[in-house]
Structure formats: structure tokens, C-alpha cells
Amino acid sequence: MPDPGLVEPITLRELVIANRILAHEGILDAFGHVSVRHPEEPSHYLIARSLGPELVTEGDLQRFTLQGEQVGGDPRPPYAERAIHGAIYEGRADSMAVCHNHAPSVLPFGVTHVPLRPIFHMASLIGPEVPVWDIAEAFGETDMLVRTIEQGRSLARTLGARRVALMRGHGSVVVGRTLREVVMTAIYMEQNARLQAQAASLGDIQYLTAGEIERASAMLLRSLASDRAWETWRRRAIGADSAREVKGAS
Ligand code: MN
């Protein structure tokens, strides 16, 4: 199968680096995935084959239609839950990157009806209201995985225009205009979840207001902040020689 390339190499490299950062920061472990919409063909997206994110190199990337049909890249088995990505790209023209993860501190907020809300500026990107999608509502008892495009579309409807949605008994999705935005949102959502639980054990929480969330989000999305964070996490995850590392052994 032809390589998924056909894109500027920088997109492939950024996607590999996003995999490594999210694994290194504890958002993805052996499971979960991150994708990017094809920069020149918006009806396609790029994602790794079924592989632990910290092991991903450029040679492991695959290219899919939004319906989940493979059109390029590594021929080995794909992620079972790739419908999450296609359905979100389909419903959200503004989405250029998607991460599905099982970040542990976030999980309790998907099963307790306690809303996840920003308690500090760095988590403002999760927005003022984080919805919870329950696969059982429309699909009954399942193995909890999003296996069909219909299930993915149901999740995308709950997500709506937001950046984040939780998945009951499973994990979450994070969506953004860039891979950097998605990585930053996912990392600080996990931190916020841990800190919110700590704060709740101390007493009533004073959350960020809607106006504070809006202003802090704008601050984080400026390249001064997002590039600084990305560089720090990239160096922490793969060291200085990222060009060699992301290409893989071949
Ligand atoms: Mn999953």
C-alpha cells in the first residue's frame, strides 16, 4: 500500500510527536489514539495502526476516509475505535485533530454525575460545560468500544461544538483546530480532574467563571503559550533528536 504521506512530512512528524507526548504524559497508555485531518484532503484523516502510542513512528501511520475505509499507509490492523475520529471530523468542519483516551483521573467524572469543570486557568480549554456520552443510551449493553460509524456519530452529537466530551465507563474525546491544541487540552484536562477531586475533598470549589474561561483559553491558544508547552513536552518525551526518532528504525 502506498505510504500515507502525500502530505508535508511535517504533518506526519507532528502526529508521531503527539503520540509520544500523550503517552509520556500519561494520557495514553497502551490504548487510546490521536489523529489529524489530512491537510489537503479534508475527507481523509491520518492515524497510527493498532499500536501503543509510545511506539508509533512515521512508518506506522495509516490514512482513512471519514467512513473508516483505509486508503493508504501501513497495511497492518487498524484501531478498532477509529470510527470516533471519522465521525467527529464528519460533523465538525473546524476539527483538525482528535484524541480518544482513557486518562485515569477523568474517569470518575464520567460515572458520578459530578461535572468536570475548570478549576484553574491551564484547564480552561475544556470549556465551561463538559458533556458525558453514555453508549448504553442508544446501543444497550456493549463491550463499551465505539465500533461503528453510527456509534461514533452519536458520540459526536453529544460533543456538539465543544472541545471535550466524556464517555461513561470508558474515557473521553478531545477535539481541536491543531494537534498542539488537542495535546494541551488533554494534558490539562487530566490535571484538572485530579485537582478538582482534591479540591472537592477540602470544601466547596470556586470554579473559573465563563469570562475567565474565555480569556484564559485565548491566552493558551496563542503560539507563545502553545509552542512553549509543545517544545517542553516534546523534549521530555523524545529528546533532542526527534527527526531520527519519529522516522523509526527502517
Ligand atoms: Mn477506548
Side-chain angles (χ1 to χ4, degrees):
M1 198 167 285
D3 73 70
L6 339 155
V7 258
E8 314 138 65
I10 186 142
T11 302
L12 305 179
R13 191 181 326 139
E14 290 261 310
L15 180 54
V16 172
I17 292 169
N19 271 273
R20 302 299 189 88
I21 290 174
L22 289 165
H24 195 262
E25 299 298 322
I27 307 305
L28 305 175
D29 58 358
F31 299 95
H33 18 85
V34 58
S35 70
V36 66
R37 194 194 289 268
H38 194 291
E40 285 115 40
E41 176 47 75
S43 64
H44 291 169
Y45 65 92
L46 305 166
I47 191 169
R49 69 181 174 92
S50 182
L51 184 67
E54 71 181 82
L55 306 177
V56 168
T57 65
E58 287 184 17
D60 298 302
L61 300 180
Q62 302 180 321
R63 178 171 172 170
F64 290 94
T65 67
L66 301 191
Q67 291 71 43
E69 181 197 343
Q70 188 171 358
V71 289
D74 192 307
R76 283 173 283 186
Y79 289 125
E81 293 195 284
R82 65 188 180 282
I84 292 172
H85 302 261
I88 290 173
Y89 291 127
E90 181 184 76
R92 284 277 297 275
D94 66 321
S95 63
M96 294 302 291
V98 173
C99 173
H100 163 59
N101 68 82
H102 313 146
S105 305
V106 176
L107 260 291
F109 294 90
V111 298
T112 57
H113 302 285
V114 176
L116 181 67
R117 288 176 62 184
I119 69 160
F120 74 138
H121 61 317
M122 300 306 289
S124 57
L125 292 172
I126 69 174
E129 181 220 5
V130 176
V132 179
W133 178 70
D134 183 353
I135 192 171
E137 269 180 28
F139 302 98
E141 282 187 326
T142 63
D143 64 3
M144 306 304 282
L145 299 195
V146 177
R147 293 185 176 278
T148 69
I149 193 71
E150 288 75 24
Q151 291 169 338
R153 286 172 182 152
S154 170
L155 169 59
R157 280 194 295 276
T158 297
L159 173 71
R162 302 173 190 86
R163 207 175 266 117
V164 170
L166 307 191
M167 301 159 72
R168 195 270 299 170
H170 183 163
S172 69
V173 289
V174 181
V175 179
R177 290 167 198 265
T178 65
L179 276 168
R180 292 176 186 215
E181 178 181 332
V182 163
V183 165
M184 179 180 259
T185 305
I187 288 173
Y188 286 117
M189 174 167 69
E190 166 69 10
Q191 287 188 16
N192 192 88
R194 192 171 67 244
L195 295 169
Q196 186 179 339
Q198 282 175 17
S201 73
L202 297 177
D204 289 343
I205 298 175
Q206 183 171 356
Y207 295 97
L208 262 63
T209 67
E212 288 167 343
I213 289 169
E214 198 182 315
R215 288 171 173 81
S217 295
M219 175 273 294
L220 290 172
L221 292 176
R222 284 199 284 272
S223 60
L224 186 69
S226 67
D227 292 353
R228 175 168 141 189
W230 179 267
E231 271 312 296
T232 304
W233 293 323
R234 183 184 66 77
R235 286 291 284 266
R236 201 143 76 182
I238 60 181
D241 192 7
S242 63
R244 185 176 181 281
E245 180 69 21
V246 300
K247 286 260 179 232
S250 57

